[in-house]
Amino acid sequence: MATVFEASAAIAMFRRPYTTTSSVSYPLPTPTAVAGLLAAITGLVNGCQERGFAAQYWQYLQGTRIAIQMLAPLKWRSETINFWNVKEPQKNPHIQVKHQFISRPRYRFYVHGGVEEELKKHLSRGTFVYTPYLGVAYAVADIKYCGHYPWGPVVLEQADVSTVVPYMNNLEVDILSSGGAFRERIPYRLTQDRSLVETLPILYQTDPAKKLRLIKRGELDVTRCGEDIVAWFPAW
């Protein structure tokens, strides 16, 4: 069984770590961002009361695997945000920083194993422990519980996948039949002090009406979950 829920907001931003003054976003939630979302809903302890950069919830996410589906077309939006100038307030009390946001995003998340049972309890009751948001604190997420679905193998080698596809060894995609595809390398797992451990390349569509057609799956785990064919990220 897999627990499925959706998250939407007016804006979202999953900041690329190498951007500083001008914040630039990944085009979709990274697995590390989804990990924080799961931790917020289920109330996993992160230890920030002792160290501000702590992320102890990663130890509780072991054995959890996820899949990510984009339900709204990818649209960008640029804004300039006022911040307090804490370094030199005598010169100018505010500084203006450009931000790149995703406009009106909506995502569907599939969760299996690990914290799934605790997640299902909160989602089914419509509760959460910490406020869920999409990347940044001013992008508060609206959470919708979709259900708890059985999943099973996809018999045919060729499959039209609804979700983001982690690019695994020996994977082959029919780009022409898929109507094109985008490739990105995204952070996949962090340590308990937020150091990057692993990244993964992914393939995705910016139009939710299109699906990625797989010719060969290689090491990729593809299953049917409800009515969708889902490509799973490896378990944390």
Side-chain angles (χ1 to χ4, degrees):
M1 302 290 283
T3 296
V4 182
F5 71 99
E6 295 178 4
S8 59
I11 57 172
M13 187 183 73
F14 309 99
R15 190 175 71 83
R16 296 177 186 268
Y18 53 81
T19 61
T20 53
T21 303
S22 297
S23 297
V24 179
S25 176
Y26 286 105
L28 50 91
T30 63
T32 51
V34 179
L37 183 61
L38 300 181
I41 294 173
T42 57
L44 299 181
V45 176
N46 64 5
C48 65
Q49 72 278 7
E50 299 175 0
R51 297 180 302 161
F53 55 84
Q56 296 178 6
Y57 56 81
W58 278 100
Q59 63 181 313
Y60 305 110
L61 290 170
Q62 292 183 9
T64 307
R65 64 174 184 166
I66 62 168
I68 304 168
Q69 182 180 2
M70 299 173 66
L71 297 178
L74 179 61
K75 295 181 180 180
W76 296 106
R77 172 179 171 181
S78 295
E79 299 286 349
T80 300
I81 299 180
N82 284 326
F83 287 100
W84 288 105
N85 186 356
V86 296
K87 293 183 178 180
E88 296 179 309
Q90 68 279 4
K91 291 184 177 181
N92 191 342
H94 296 91
I95 56 174
Q96 295 184 330
V97 180
K98 291 183 179 180
H99 282 60
Q100 181 189 53
F101 293 104
I102 303 168
S103 180
R104 300 291 177 185
R106 187 161 65 98
Y107 307 103
R108 181 175 293 154
F109 301 105
Y110 305 79
V111 183
H112 175 253
V115 298
E116 179 192 353
E117 287 301 318
E118 187 65 23
L119 176 68
K120 183 179 69 173
K121 292 178 183 178
H122 281 281
L123 292 174
S124 61
R125 296 196 301 256
T127 62
F128 50 81
V129 179
Y130 302 108
T131 303
Y133 53 84
L134 294 180
V136 288
Y138 36 85
V140 177
D142 182 19
I143 303 297
K144 174 185 175 183
Y145 178 48
C146 298
H148 193 54
Y149 296 97
W151 57 273
V154 177
V155 177
L156 298 177
E157 182 68 18
Q158 180 175 297
D160 292 338
V161 177
S162 304
T163 62
V164 173
V165 174
Y167 197 87
M168 311 297 286
N169 291 333
N170 302 317
L171 178 69
E172 291 187 19
V173 179
D174 188 337
I175 299 296
L176 185 60
S177 298
S178 301
F182 292 85
R183 182 167 177 168
E184 185 84 45
R185 181 173 287 275
I186 59 176
Y188 165 66
R189 179 168 53 195
L190 304 178
T191 65
Q192 294 183 38
D193 62 1
R194 299 184 189 271
S195 298
L196 181 63
V197 175
E198 186 178 358
T199 62
L200 282 178
I202 61 168
L203 297 174
Y204 65 97
Q205 292 280 17
T206 58
D207 183 353
K210 297 180 180 179
K211 297 183 180 181
L212 289 171
R213 175 162 294 178
L214 307 185
I215 303 173
K216 293 184 180 180
R217 302 178 209 165
E219 298 179 6
L220 182 66
D221 187 4
V222 177
T223 68
R224 185 177 295 279
C225 183
E227 297 181 355
D228 299 323
I229 295 180
V230 173
W232 295 92
F233 283 88
W236 284 310

